[in-house]
Amino acid sequence: MAEPRRNISSVDPVWEQIQHEAQQAVKDEPLIGGFVHACILHHKSIEKALSYRIAAKLASNEMSMVVVREIVDEAFAEDPGLVEAARADLVAIYERDPACHRLVQPILYFKGYQAVQAYRVGHHLWMKGKRDLAYFVQMRVSEIFGVDIHPAARIGKGIMIDHAHSIVIGETAVVGDNVSMLHSVTLGGTGKEEEDRHPKIGDGVLIGAGAKVLGNIKVGHCSRIAAGSVVLEEVPPCKTVAGIPAKIVGEAGCDQPSVLMDHMFGSKSV
Ligand SMILES: CC(C)(COP(=O)(O)OP(=O)(O)OC[C@H]1O[C@@H](n2cnc3c(N)ncnc32)[C@H](O)[C@@H]1OP(=O)(O)O)[C@@H](O)C(=O)NCCC(=O)NCCS
């Protein structure tokens, strides 16, 4: 008898790939079996795996894993956009980070990815008016990952925060889609503005390690900010800025600097 055909709507190639990679990892290193099983193989979908992973990281003596997981599951059920964004971030990291060879790696090991997914849950809580829960998530993400993102900040999809030590993103900051940033980036205020006081980062921007972008200034689409810069003035689209204070030093050099940062685009297949 012929095999029953699978319902096309139940096919999830990304999740299948992640499970396949997880099985291979356990085969290659049996000692990691329990960890990989708990994080990936035990789950029926990417959202269940993500909620487990976020809860395992954020839980503490102050809030149990069961409670954190319930909060994350509820957020994912209320807003499917959270999981859509998590998928976009995963693919972004796989495509842009030369150290990422498998889709399963960010879920298991990359704190930039884990921190952004937890922030997304905190932002959802904030938007629902559950401010104390949102602050709790912010606190735990900051304690665990060294990534301090205010839950009111707005962040797009396809985000890669590589290395992710010491990231600060302020309350009124906006980050567009397909942005890449390295460690020690601050999107902060100058201390001289009230209310709307943080940067607005356009789509496709690449922000180098240690860059500080200060004040309610626009950073135009597809621009690049050099490592170590202090950006105090608006950056036009498609330019490269560098220095303290940052000045325009040239064109961005390509359409999407955040994507092409490592010239790996197109050399891997999902
Ligand atoms: C230094 C600071 C307090 C501004 O001080 P200010 O005296 O009002 O300075 P101004 O904005 O008038 O700028 C004066 C000059 O200093 C420069 N400047 C300002 N901040 C600078 C900085 N952080 N690094 C280097 N140069 C800076 C300006 O470009 C300007 O140069 P110019 O005169 O050649 O045009 C502010 O820019 C700053 O850095 N605040 C700290 C913010 C911070 O840490 N935020 C993180 C929050 S999470």
Side-chain angles (χ1 to χ4, degrees):
M1 210 163 70
E3 286 279 301
R5 294 184 68 175
R6 283 193 300 173
N7 178 351
I8 193 75
S9 65
S10 70
V11 175
D12 180 350
V14 169
W15 177 237
E16 286 186 5
Q17 173 80 18
I18 290 166
Q19 285 185 306
H20 171 73
E21 291 168 356
Q23 280 157 357
Q24 190 59 46
V26 176
K27 219 158 134 188
D28 293 345
E29 179 50 82
L31 285 179
I32 209 151
F35 169 67
V36 173
H37 196 273
C39 294
I40 307 290
L41 296 172
H42 180 69
H43 305 286
K44 292 223 165 0
S45 64
I46 192 167
E47 45 267 55
K48 289 294 173 200
L50 283 173
S51 80
Y52 174 88
R53 197 76 193 102
I54 294 169
K57 283 293 186 186
L58 265 50
S60 71
N61 289 340
E62 295 164 350
M63 194 179 287
S64 76
M65 190 172 161
V66 172
V67 176
V68 181
R69 191 147 189 223
E70 211 174 294
I71 292 166
V72 179
D73 279 339
E74 193 176 305
F76 283 176
E78 287 170 350
D79 184 0
L82 295 175
V83 180
E84 195 189 307
R87 285 171 181 275
D89 297 342
L90 192 61
V91 172
I93 294 169
Y94 182 72
E95 288 179 344
R96 297 175 208 163
D97 182 354
C100 182
H101 306 287
R102 296 164 295 163
L103 286 169
V104 77
Q105 275 175 264
I107 300 175
L108 290 179
Y109 307 121
F110 290 7
K111 70 178 181 161
Y113 180 74
Q114 295 164 354
V116 170
Q117 304 328 310
Y119 146 78
R120 293 192 188 287
V121 172
H123 180 65
H124 173 83
L125 294 165
W126 182 269
M127 298 308 284
K128 270 180 69 180
K130 297 198 166 226
R131 298 211 162 176
D132 281 306
L133 275 182
Y135 283 131
F136 182 87
V137 171
Q138 178 190 8
M139 175 189 76
R140 289 298 293 153
V141 172
S142 178
E143 286 170 354
I144 297 298
F145 303 116
V147 172
D148 195 345
I149 308 178
H150 194 287
R154 286 182 282 143
I155 300 187
K157 292 184 289 194
I159 303 300
M160 177 177 78
I161 305 185
D162 200 8
H163 306 298
H165 298 292
S166 192
I167 299 288
V168 175
I169 300 181
E171 180 178 9
T172 58
V174 177
V175 176
D177 292 332
N178 297 318
V179 168
S180 295
M181 65 181 82
L182 283 295
H183 53 284
S184 298
V185 164
T186 298
L187 307 181
T190 58
K192 299 188 296 178
E193 294 168 297
E194 305 271 321
E195 305 289 331
D196 193 358
R197 59 199 184 281
H198 297 114
K200 313 292 180 265
I201 308 295
D203 297 336
V205 171
L206 168 61
I207 308 179
K212 313 293 166 205
V213 188
L214 303 178
N216 185 3
I217 53 173
K218 276 191 191 148
V219 175
H221 294 321
C222 302
S223 54
R224 288 191 302 178
I225 298 172
S229 306
V230 175
V231 183
L232 299 166
E233 284 173 12
E234 181 160 337
V235 177
C238 305
K239 299 290 180 194
T240 298
V241 297
I244 303 178
K247 302 281 177 224
I248 296 173
V249 295
E251 302 300 313
C254 60
D255 288 346
Q256 288 255 48
S258 63
V259 173
L260 295 183
M261 59 183 294
D262 55 24
H263 307 282
M264 294 294 283
F265 196 53
S267 64
K268 296 173 180 178
S269 60
V270 179

